[in-house]
Amino acid sequence: MWATTPGPSTTVSDHDLPQLFLANDRWALARQGESFRATRTQLILLLLATAFAVLAERLDHRVPAVLAAVLYASTILMGAHTARRRARAHWQAHRDVAETVKSLAWQFMVHGGPFHSRVPDPEALFAERLEQRLRELRKVGWQDTRGGPYVVGAGQVSEVMRATRAKPFEARRDIYLRDRVTEQHTWYRNKALQERRASVGWSTLTAALTLMALLAAVFRALGTGTAWDLTGLLATAAAAGVAWQEVRRYRPLAYAHALVEQDLETLRVALGTTVGEEGWASAVAETERLMSPQHTDWLARFGK
């Protein structure tokens, strides 16, 4: 039963994985941050432009009107710049490459999936599977920047990966449980909690803004409101909140990550107790499938 509750890992870390994973992981994080910042900036510019438009109407002054026009124009230019940069597409391509390399590396190390113990040349198979997947990702815009000794897939196999693969089954099993499965189980659990809290917070905020816009419109129609017509500003703020939730996908990702966490917990127990060496390769392959971005995206479709 010890293997089902492994302790902290000091054996294999992300820095022991292929250089291709490390590089694409960094690029994915950078592009993700760029994509979110661009969207957030657009929404803020649009909200400020609407606020200045309301101010210009109320004060009947040219300065707020000019500022509103400038901000609206900036929003359009920001959108065009974001479209040219294609940060979201590049982020997803780099993330797919990083997760593909990471998954193949772990399967290679612990004799999982196609890299079972009977494979005569696991490094050649690793290179073949990696390059096959990278060819597919190049078609959707991923740019291969490898050079030097890391040009081909076999050059991505690190010494730690080789040393781990050479260990006996029990050692490989324990390494996989504590360094891969438990780490990912914790990650999915924390992400699901964060996204659930964010979803509730943003949903509450947008609902409150929408209600305030409704009340402002009703009071305006009845002629009992203030001299300031804030209906448009409040509606824009609520729409911006909804748009941000759609970009961050808080609700569907919370749903997907919670399901993956539950499935990983079930597999974690099975891998540590009932799965023997004979069924190990297929069990690892199933575990890696659950942790793939494609599986998360598929689950997220049902969490909207």
Side-chain angles (χ1 to χ4, degrees), residues 213-226 228-229 231:
L214 172 63
L215 293 175
V218 170
F219 290 151
R220 189 74 174 178
L222 296 175
T224 59
T226 65
W228 292 79
D229 184 8
T231 306

Side-chain angles (χ1 to χ4, degrees), residues 86 93 131-144:
R86 300 184 69 240
E131 295 304 322
Q132 180 183 17
R133 181 59 179 147
L134 293 181
R135 281 195 297 272
E136 296 172 357
L137 289 167
R138 287 191 194 98
K139 297 176 183 178
V140 295
W142 177 69
Q143 296 181 351
D144 192 348

Side-chain angles (χ1 to χ4, degrees), residues 40-278:
R40 184 172 59 237
T41 301
Q42 278 186 276
L43 294 173
I44 291 173
L45 288 174
L46 185 60
L47 188 58
L48 288 174
T50 306
F52 277 112
V54 171
L55 190 63
E57 182 182 0
R58 179 69 184 90
L59 299 179
D60 193 20
H61 199 282
R62 291 183 58 187
V63 173
V66 170
L67 289 174
V70 170
L71 288 170
Y72 281 127
S74 299
T75 303
I76 296 172
L77 293 174
M78 188 72 184
H81 175 73
T82 302
R84 283 198 306 271
R85 291 280 296 171
R86 300 184 69 240
R88 185 177 184 86
H90 288 298
W91 148 38
Q92 292 175 333
H94 286 306
R95 177 51 58 203
D96 280 351
V97 170
E99 294 303 324
T100 294
V101 175
K102 189 174 187 177
S103 179
L104 287 174
W106 272 107
Q107 291 180 76
F108 173 89
M109 284 189 285
V110 301
H111 296 213
F115 306 101
H116 50 78
S117 302
R118 300 182 302 279
V119 174
D121 191 349
E123 292 198 24
L125 179 60
F126 178 85
E128 177 187 340
R129 292 298 179 94
L130 176 59
E131 295 304 322
Q132 180 183 17
R133 181 59 179 147
L134 293 181
R135 281 195 297 272
E136 296 172 357
L137 289 167
R138 287 191 194 98
K139 297 176 183 178
V140 295
W142 177 69
Q143 296 181 351
D144 192 348
T145 58
R146 288 176 295 174
Y150 302 111
V151 172
V152 297
Q156 298 290 330
V157 178
S158 68
E159 289 303 318
V160 173
M161 290 169 61
R162 293 190 182 95
T164 303
R165 184 174 177 83
K167 293 179 183 293
F169 169 68
E170 290 78 9
R172 285 184 277 109
R173 178 195 62 194
D174 293 345
I175 289 171
Y176 186 65
L177 282 170
R178 68 173 178 252
D179 292 350
R180 178 63 165 158
V181 181
T182 298
E183 186 271 337
Q184 285 291 283
H185 178 266
T186 302
W187 186 88
Y188 278 102
R189 182 185 61 210
N190 292 339
K191 290 295 289 184
L193 290 173
Q194 292 170 10
E195 287 153 354
R196 194 174 296 115
R197 286 196 295 265
S199 176
V200 170
W202 278 99
S203 296
T204 302
L205 177 61
T206 54
L209 289 169
T210 304
L211 177 60
M212 292 168 64
L214 172 63
L215 293 175
V218 170
F219 290 151
R220 189 74 174 178
L222 296 175
T224 59
T226 65
W228 292 79
D229 184 8
L230 299 178
T231 306
L233 180 60
L234 292 169
T236 301
V242 172
W244 184 246
Q245 289 182 80
E246 288 298 314
V247 169
R248 295 304 301 262
R249 303 171 67 202
Y250 289 126
R251 189 192 304 275
L253 286 179
Y255 174 83
H257 288 153
L259 288 182
V260 175
E261 179 211 345
Q262 295 169 14
D263 290 341
L264 279 179
E265 176 60 21
T266 300
L267 276 172
R268 187 171 72 93
V269 174
L271 287 169
T273 55
T274 61
V275 176
E277 193 166 4
E278 296 244 338

